[in-house]
Amino acid sequence: MKDKKKYTYEYPRPALATDCVIFGFDGGSLKLLLTEREKEPFKNKWALPGGFVHMDETTDECAERILKEKVGVKNVFVEQLYTFSETDRDPRERVVSVSYFALVNKHQYELVAGRDTLKAEWFELADLPKLAFDHSKIVKMAILRLKGKVSYQPIGFELLNEKFTLSQLQSLYEAILETSIDKRNFRKKILSLGILKVLEEKEKNVARKAAWYYSFDKKAYKELTQKGIYFEI
Amino acid sequence: MKDKKKYTYEYPRPALATDCVIFGFDGGSLKLLLTEREKEPFKNKWALPGGFVHMDETTDECAERILKEKVGVKNVFVEQLYTFSETDRDPRERVVSVSYFALVNKHQYELVAGRDTLKAEWFELADLPKLAFDHSKIVKMAILRLKGKVSYQPIGFELLNEKFTLSQLQSLYEAILETSIDKRNFRKKILSLGILKVLEEKEKNVARKAAWYYSFDKKAYKELTQKGIYFEI
DNA sequence: ACCATTAGTGTATTTTTTACACTTTTTGTG
DNA sequence: CACAAAAAGTGTAAAAAATACACTAATGGT
């Protein structure tokens, strides 16, 4: 035991970790991806996927690594959320957590996940279990951030497939903002931004009028924001 | 030297520090409070006031301590900005910095500062010296945050005296947003929010029509936001 | 054939934002 | 003491944006 401890410093240091709040959308409601803890403390409790920051990686890189290694997702939208530093947030010793929030397309995720990842499960945002550590607090902040951000940055698209219908997009906004939006006004607004392109493809095998698919036009969005024009829904 | 190093861990840990971006306003333009470094690295260069996080304090508390000890300001608006974790951001060893931004009433500050604080100076935002470490990057982000935040949260008031005229408030907004605002429209808008109260006091000894003093009505603001109504300028 | 279901569309009203100019008050100066 | 200088304070009309609202079109299932 003593032998293991080999990194020595002049002053005490907190451990530094990263925790990830991972949002997904299944067409109806927002979900959160949680992992079951394998060890004490909080063994068998649900928690945000997280881990300690390595000496050769930034916290951003650490978050990406956790997303990939622990839950099998990569190339997704990740953004730093907040740093939590309450001295007693981990019962073992002091751990400061730089938290991140990620937006994942649930369908893509289901293809990648599985292998040597942790036991992970999607939970309804409205029906979360009690979480380990201060993770409920972190989730709360992430939800606020997502709500705030979604109306002035096109991050919502990260939660959908590359092609999507306007109704799907509207459902997503309604789920995030917890409100209902008038269909005509929504379409008017979102199309007027000029950041969507209609594809030459409709839904198939639906027992109703098929909807056109759209995709997010990243180039148009970049031009828009570079000109200093704010996106707002 | 060896004797000094007495804190030992199983895995290596970055040092954890806090840096503060402190904004002030003098009626005309926005300023930033910088301290001169007393030691290497970057000895005698200008830098953000900062320091290492103690084991018994949160990063918030650390930021407050730095504001108080190093530059002599207290009871000011402080908010976490972002955590910077590039592995090479400090040439000595790995230091992760949780940065904060603070808004200070320059007049109040001038009363408190001085004693056993560091050499500190206000700099024009438009005319900053080259800064130590990655502090320029931190400042850039703080400016963006301030600009973004000022139009939907009444943080601007923190930079003014408790009583202020509408013209002073407008100048502040113009300085932060780097734009000019129509006087009548500004007054209409800001008064319609119902978060200002007119005092029964005017300016004195000014060679023009004296302006009424106003103060920020925290109670009204709280009620407003608790009802879920967004403040926006 | 028809039923159920959701896609897709336009207009009128209200609210918000913008643009714009003159009078009032006070001090300092000649 | 008249007048100049300086910024305070004030209203309205026009334009733009947000909102409220209801029917027809297309498709697969029964």
Side-chain angles (χ1 to χ4, degrees), chain B residues 167 183-184 187-188 207-209 211-212:
Chain B
S167 296
K183 196 186 359 172
R184 278 178 289 193
R187 295 163 99 92
K188 224 183 301 174
R208 50 171 172 74
K209 182 170 175 179
W212 288 102

Side-chain angles (χ1 to χ4, degrees), chain B residues 35-213:
Chain B
T35 51
E36 195 177 315
R37 281 187 60 79
E38 295 180 320
K39 301 178 204 159
E40 292 293 350
F42 299 101
K43 190 173 169 181
N44 298 324
K45 297 277 182 227
W46 292 98
L48 297 174
F52 292 100
V53 177
H54 294 175
M55 287 307 267
D56 60 350
E57 67 183 6
T58 63
T59 52
D60 288 26
E61 286 160 357
C62 178
E64 271 165 43
R65 177 173 56 78
I66 285 163
L67 286 168
K68 203 175 104 201
E69 288 183 3
K70 290 221 179 177
V71 287
V73 295
K74 55 183 171 177
N75 297 326
V76 295
F77 176 91
V78 187
E79 182 180 288
Q80 192 183 304
L81 176 63
Y82 197 78
T83 296
F84 293 85
S85 66
E86 296 298 318
T87 53
D88 59 354
R89 54 179 298 286
D90 190 309
R92 294 165 295 187
E93 61 168 343
R94 186 157 187 209
V95 181
V96 169
S97 166
V98 183
S99 63
Y100 281 78
F101 86 97
L103 304 180
V104 173
N105 179 327
K106 271 194 68 193
H107 298 95
Q108 272 176 247
Y109 165 73
E110 271 145 12
L111 298 175
V112 192
R115 297 184 311 277
D116 53 42
T117 60
L118 290 182
K119 181 179 166 191
E121 233 171 76
W122 289 102
F123 286 83
E124 286 286 329
L125 218 55
D127 194 31
L128 295 179
K130 213 160 179 254
L131 300 185
F133 306 105
D134 57 352
H135 288 186
S136 295
K137 197 169 142 191
I138 300 179
V139 168
K140 215 179 242 177
M141 188 176 276
I143 293 170
L144 278 177
R145 175 76 74 81
L146 179 61
K147 276 192 194 180
K149 200 137 195 175
V150 86
S151 8
Y152 66 90
Q153 269 185 36
I155 54 176
F157 302 99
E158 308 285 343
L159 289 158
L160 297 172
N161 288 325
E162 194 147 349
K163 59 184 186 185
F164 49 84
T165 68
L166 292 185
S167 296
Q168 286 167 355
L169 186 60
Q170 181 174 346
S171 298
L172 172 62
Y173 272 89
E174 289 178 330
I176 293 177
L177 298 172
E178 293 182 286
T179 179
S180 64
I181 308 174
D182 177 86
K183 196 186 359 172
R184 278 178 289 193
N185 293 341
F186 177 78
R187 295 163 99 92
K188 224 183 301 174
K189 185 81 194 249
I190 200 99
L191 290 175
S192 76
L193 297 170
I195 57 172
L196 294 187
K197 15 175 211 213
V198 209
L199 308 181
E200 290 179 354
E201 187 186 352
K202 283 185 179 184
E203 291 176 303
K204 275 168 199 154
N205 304 316
V206 285
R208 50 171 172 74
K209 182 170 175 179
W212 288 102
Y213 282 119

Side-chain angles (χ1 to χ4, degrees), chain A residues 77-94:
Chain A
F77 176 91
V78 187
E79 183 181 287
Q80 191 183 304
L81 175 63
Y82 196 78
T83 297
F84 293 85
S85 67
E86 296 299 318
T87 54
D88 58 354
R89 53 179 299 286
D90 189 311
R92 293 166 295 185
E93 59 168 343
R94 185 157 188 210

